[in-house]
Each structure stands twice: as structure tokens, then as C-alpha cells.
Amino acid sequence: MKLAFIVDPLAQLKAYKDSSVAMMRAAQARGHEVFAILRDDLRLRDGAVRARAAHLSINADEHAWYRETEALDADLREFDAVLMRQDPPFDFEYVAATWMLERAQQQGARIYNDPRAIRDHSEKLAITEFPQFTAPTLVARAAEDLNAFIDEFGEVVLKPLDGMGGAGVFRVRHDDPNRYAIIEAVGQMGTRSVMAQRYIPEIANGDKRILVVAGEVMPYSLARIPRAGESRGNLAAGGRGEARPLSERDRAIGEALAPMLWQRGLLIVGLDVIGDYLTEVNVTSPTCMVEIQQQTGFNVAERVIAALERRSD
């Protein structure tokens, strides 16, 4: 197969932990050709979606991990699969890319995750579809609503709807002298919607990332454990990753969501679970494949490529 990955600039990818790089390596190991496309190099001309693509040779070096062997200009239909793996921010340019990828899909290109599903699926708001698995949650702009939620539950987490890696996430107590300033900061003075969730103390045991591939729940999660003095488990915020077998509750959540997410064209999904509660449904560029493989030997990236092979038959 010819597999194209739409990613951030290759020199910026941290090969020692990047899930997209892990999938590229798995694809090459299984005999497939690997191409990289930058979002900037997508273009739509006279109804056809094309891109400049770099043909890559991947190696085990964590620094000089790739070599560009050829550059070509290709219609996206020439690839057996195109994986949209660019990190947020989920801004207008990201949305514009999903529009172009959706047009390519309509013409026969195979795009994963489905561009419409990515565009319509807010990683924070998505949990509201599954209230049976979530802690009490509010989405609002008005400071009075957010303050009332804090007063009701005593201790909450506030987060922007478009953040990633724990950026802009605050734990706020009802008696926090800075609560009003925090609400103003996260909500940008009432101009942005904010998600508030009842604080889940089990975060001390880790924010678990559960990966779902082609409707199949992977058997291990990566629990991202906050460092001392921190309430965010995100690896980008200094959290420590610990691979664990799924609990019964983890699996129940995964199995309940997996079929419908795959039906929507979401090949790779990262479910975030704290304690017994679903907190996010990540679809743009879910990570943690490398850490799980290093600690358990279970190769999630290879499962992704195998799923693509089945789809191409």
C-alpha cells in the first residue's frame, strides 16, 4: 500500500515518542510505502485535491529518523489511505483542511479519521453524548453559571474547549481567592465557552488514555500520573506515563463507544478516563502508542496498519 500521513513538519516530530512516527515505522516494516504531507501543501484545484508529498525511508535513529527519497505531486486518490494526524490548534485553517479532505473523500480518496467526523466532533464536548459515563459537567460562557457550578460542587476543573496537552486547565476550589480571575482567564473575559467538570480526585492515580482502533478497544491504557504539586496528568504538563491493563470500567466505556465511533469513520480514537469517568474523546491525533509498546510489548501502531490493510482488500 501507499500510505500518506498529514503531519506537522517532520523536523518537529519527536520520534522517540510520536505515535505518527510509530505508525510510519509499522507501515514500512509491513512492506508499505510511506509518504508525508504538510497541511500547507494541500490544495484544491478545479475540484481535485492534490498535495506535495515526500516519500520517506524510516529508520530506528531517534534523531535522524527519516530520509526523503523522492518528492512528488499527487492526487490524494493515488494513496491507499491518507491519515490526518496534525496536532491542534483546531483553528480555521484546520477546518479548511477538513473541507478539502472531505472533497477528496467524496471523489474516492480514503481519509482517516473521517474529515467530517473530525470537524463535527469536539474532543471536549463529545463526552456530553455519553452522560452515563461522565462526572457532572457544564459548558457555559457566563461567569455566573460557572461560579454557580463551582459553588454547587466545591471543587471543579475548568478547561478551554480548544486546548490540548493540559494547556489552560485549572483546578478551582470554591474558596479559591483567584476563582473569578481564573474564570476570566479561561473564558477570555466571557468571550469563549468553558467546560467545567466536577473535580475527580482519582486523578492522583492517573488520567488514563484508552486507545480504540477500527472499533477495537486496545487492552492497555496509559495512565498519565501528575507530578508532585500538579493536578494535570498530561505528559506535556510533566505527567509520568504508566501502562496498565484496562479495568472492567475502562473496558465497559470503551466497548460502549467503540462501535459507534468506528461507524462514524474514526479509525483512531483516544478515550480519556479518570477514575470511573470519561473526560475526553480525542480524534485529531491521539497519542501514547509508543509508551504502551515500550512498557507492555503490545504494538498499537501495528494494529492501525493492519486495520488499513483490511480496509484496502
Side-chain angles (χ1 to χ4, degrees), residues 245-257:
L246 298 189
S247 68
E248 290 186 13
R249 175 68 170 181
D250 294 340
R251 182 161 292 282
I253 293 172
E255 296 290 356
L257 273 60

Side-chain angles (χ1 to χ4, degrees), residues 127 130 133-134 253 257 271-273 276-281:
I127 67 168
F130 314 104
F133 297 126
T134 63
I253 293 172
L257 273 60
L271 306 177
D272 287 351
V273 174
D276 288 336
Y277 298 102
L278 177 70
T279 59
E280 291 187 17
V281 181

Side-chain angles (χ1 to χ4, degrees), residues 111-297:
I111 314 292
Y112 304 97
N113 285 332
D114 180 273
R116 177 184 288 272
I118 291 177
R119 188 174 64 247
D120 293 349
H121 186 108
S122 164
E123 296 186 324
K124 304 290 192 297
L125 278 170
I127 67 168
T128 62
E129 186 178 356
F130 314 104
Q132 69 273 33
F133 297 126
T134 63
T137 299
L138 168 74
V139 178
R141 283 176 59 172
E144 62 185 282
D145 295 325
L146 296 166
N147 274 305
F149 191 83
I150 295 171
D151 288 335
E152 180 180 357
F153 292 101
E155 191 168 12
V156 307
V157 170
L158 301 180
K159 61 178 79 172
L161 293 181
D162 59 350
M164 66 167 290
V169 176
F170 289 87
R171 174 183 171 187
V172 185
R173 289 174 51 88
H174 69 93
D175 56 355
D176 190 323
N178 296 308
R179 63 183 275 188
Y180 299 104
I182 291 171
I183 290 172
E184 290 175 356
V186 180
Q188 297 183 13
M189 301 299 293
T191 64
R192 302 291 298 275
S193 295
V194 174
M195 173 170 279
Q197 293 175 313
R198 188 191 70 195
Y199 175 68
I200 306 169
E202 288 85 355
I203 182 61
N205 296 320
D207 180 354
K208 295 171 285 187
R209 167 61 55 83
I210 300 168
L211 292 168
V212 181
V213 176
E216 180 185 0
V217 183
M218 300 295 98
Y220 296 95
S221 70
L222 189 76
R224 294 156 300 170
I225 302 168
R227 62 183 176 180
E230 177 64 85
S231 58
R232 300 171 298 173
N234 309 75
L235 300 182
R240 172 175 59 85
E242 180 181 297
R244 299 173 181 168
L246 298 189
S247 68
E248 290 186 13
R249 175 68 170 181
D250 294 340
R251 182 161 292 282
I253 293 172
E255 296 290 356
L257 273 60
M260 67 181 74
L261 295 172
W262 181 221
Q263 187 176 30
R264 296 171 185 174
L266 295 167
L267 173 74
I268 309 168
V269 179
L271 306 177
D272 287 351
V273 174
I274 300 175
D276 288 336
Y277 298 102
L278 177 70
T279 59
E280 291 187 17
V281 181
N282 297 276
V283 300
T284 50
S285 55
T287 61
C288 299
M289 296 181 188
V290 175
E291 294 87 350
I292 289 173
Q293 181 181 1
Q294 288 174 340
Q295 295 183 36
T296 70

Side-chain angles (χ1 to χ4, degrees), residues 43-50 75 77 100 103-104 107:
R43 69 184 187 281
L44 175 59
R45 172 68 188 270
D46 300 329
V49 182
R50 303 183 65 86
D75 188 302
R77 290 172 290 188
M100 285 195 282
R103 182 58 51 85
Q107 296 170 348

